[in-house]
């Protein structure tokens, strides 16, 4: 996993300088790079398109922005960091005194060296974000203010990568692609999603896996609006975000709380003995709240390390390349792969010899276990499988009730199935 971690970190490094928003060329450039890792189907949805209760907004693009003092020195420069401009700022070209300019400036007084991330997507506004210490050092006087941006009819852009499975039922894995230079939120999530897709593509999974790379909120809403007639195919889902910070893993359950993905994630995290936390659903956070809105009520949870707004660096310039690590992203990816393996393998079986315990020895099932270090555990797994293979209990049910590892139960199921004692 070290190699995968290094590759994910390299992807985050490439994406970090790009100015992303909910629309625009920054999103397209991001998807172009992700498309080098996994093939993407890119969708363009025109401005003005009605999507559920929302409307696709105008497209925003920016070329340059700065605040310059009387000598022409740029005291705040978009070229230095895309965080310096209020997202979706309307164009401006003016000269004004510092007192007037201050009403358009955003800082973090509690962290005077950090630059905040701020947006104004749906209200025409302009502004700059800067370090409090930079603002404190500005003398009174006239400043040139320039934002070379456009707000015009265009498109909202999102992309999908689909891995066909043995069945049409889907697992959706979603991440948002609208944040500018924020390494954990959500470039690490994009990287983990891309590398999970690469791993899944090396085999034919049971479920069809749909990876969604879309701007937050409006992107998920747009996808749901465009797929409302087929959304019943989505049986399980996971929203990835904040996937690379040093904190332990946090799984936020779906609105249902007892969806299969909830049970799978609880089991995988507990069985792994990783430090972790399982949180109840709240309608606040990432796009799980769209997939879990009551009209859809999909079984979609959210996996992060430190959760939404749970770390001081969140939505600031301190969420930089030093804040994420290859090891943390590799660990998040490993948990995702483990969860997908359980989802894909979790079946219900029917005991074909339900009256009394079948003789396993004459079928060679006990002999097949000879020499294994976990022989007793493997035998017990077979007995549990035979007892609970009533067409109602899944492998996960057996693992939870028996206290045995899921993989052990799955191997027992394979052996019993091969001997003709159970059927799926």
């Amino acid at each position: 996993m070290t190699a995968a971690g290094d590759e994910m970190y390299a992807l985050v490094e490439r994406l970090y300088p790009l100015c992303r928003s909910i629309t625009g060329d920054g999103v397209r450039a991001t998807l172009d790079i992700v498309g080098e890792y996994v093939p993407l189907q890119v969708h363009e949805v025109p401005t003005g398109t009605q999507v559920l209760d929302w409307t696709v907004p105008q497209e925003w693009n920016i070329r340059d922005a700065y605040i310059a003092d009387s000598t022409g020195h740029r005291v705040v420069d978009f070229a230095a960091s895309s965080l310096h401009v209020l997202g979706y700022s309307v164009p401006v070209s003016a000269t004004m005194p510092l007192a007037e300019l201050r009403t358009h400036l955003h800082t973090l007084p509690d962290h005077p060296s950090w630059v905040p991330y701020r947006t104004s997507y749906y209200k025409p506004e302009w502004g700059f974000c800067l370090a409090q210490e930079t603002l404190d050092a500005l003398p009174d006087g006239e400043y040139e203010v320039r934002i070379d941006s456009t707000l015009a009819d265009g498109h909202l852009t999102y992309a999908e990568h689909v891995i066909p499975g043995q069945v049409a039922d889907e697992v959706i894995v979603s991440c948002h692609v609208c944040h500018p230079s924020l390494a954990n939120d959500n470039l690490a999530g994009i990287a983990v999603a891309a590398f999970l897709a690469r791993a899944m593509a090396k085999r034919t999974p049971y479920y069809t896996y749909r990876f969604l790379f879309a701007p937050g909120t409006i992107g998920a809403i747009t996808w749901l609006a465009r797929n409302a007639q087929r959304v019943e195919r989505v049986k399980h889902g996971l929203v990835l975000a904040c996937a690379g910070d040093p904190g332990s893993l946090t799984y936020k359950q779906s609105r249902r709380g007892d969806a299969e993905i909830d049970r799978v994630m609880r089991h995988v995290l507990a069985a792994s003995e990783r430090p972790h936390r399982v949180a109840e659903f709240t309608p606040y956070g990432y796009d799980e709240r769209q997939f879990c809105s009551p009209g859809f009520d999909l079984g979609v949870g959210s996996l992060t390390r430190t959760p939404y707004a749970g770390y001081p660096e969140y939505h600031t310039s301190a969420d930089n390349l030093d804040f994420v690590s290859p090891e943390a992203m590799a660990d998040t990816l490993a948990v995702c792969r483990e969860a997908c393996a359980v989802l894909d393998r979790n079946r219900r079986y029917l005991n074909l010899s339900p009256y009394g315990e079948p003789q396993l020895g004459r079928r060679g099932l006990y002999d097949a276990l000879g020499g294994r270090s976990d022989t007793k555990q493997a035998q017990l797994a077979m007995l549990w499988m035979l007892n609970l293979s009533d067409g109602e209990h899944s492998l996960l049910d057996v693992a939870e009730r028996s206290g045995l590892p899921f993989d052990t139960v799955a191997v027992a199921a394979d052996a019993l199935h091969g001997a003709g004692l159970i059927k799926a």
Side-chain angles (χ1 to χ4, degrees), residues 102-125:
R102 280 181 180 273
T103 63
H104 295 277
L105 302 182
H106 304 270
T107 65
L108 293 167
D110 291 341
H111 297 282
S113 65
W114 296 358
V115 177
Y117 165 55
R118 299 288 185 266
T119 63
S120 184
Y121 294 142
Y122 303 105
K123 178 183 178 182
E125 184 58 272

Side-chain angles (χ1 to χ4, degrees), residues 104-238:
H104 295 277
L105 302 182
H106 304 270
T107 65
L108 293 167
D110 291 341
H111 297 282
S113 65
W114 296 358
V115 177
Y117 165 55
R118 299 288 185 266
T119 63
S120 184
Y121 294 142
Y122 303 105
K123 178 183 178 182
E125 184 58 272
W126 66 268
F128 288 85
C129 300
L130 66 159
Q132 180 66 45
E133 61 188 21
T134 300
L135 177 57
D136 291 343
L138 294 181
D140 288 335
E142 296 288 310
Y143 288 86
E144 180 189 0
V145 180
R146 171 80 166 159
I147 297 178
D148 182 12
S149 65
T150 55
L151 266 171
D153 287 352
H155 297 83
L156 178 145
T157 309
Y158 70 91
E160 296 175 289
H161 174 75
V162 179
I163 302 170
Q166 299 170 39
V167 298
D169 289 344
E170 293 186 2
V171 178
I172 190 166
V173 179
S174 173
C175 60
H176 59 279
V177 297
C178 53
H179 286 14
S181 299
L182 300 173
N184 195 44
D185 179 24
N186 185 41
L187 295 182
I190 294 171
V192 170
F195 277 75
L196 178 61
R198 287 179 65 174
M200 298 298 295
K202 293 178 181 178
R203 60 186 180 84
T204 302
Y206 177 74
Y207 289 106
T208 293
Y209 279 76
R210 184 177 301 273
F211 290 81
L212 178 62
F213 300 86
T217 304
I218 187 66
I221 285 171
T222 298
W223 186 88
L224 286 165
R226 288 163 59 89
N227 292 273
Q229 299 308 310
R230 51 179 301 284
V231 78
E232 71 277 356
R233 292 185 187 176
V234 178
K235 304 303 180 184
H236 321 286
L238 197 60

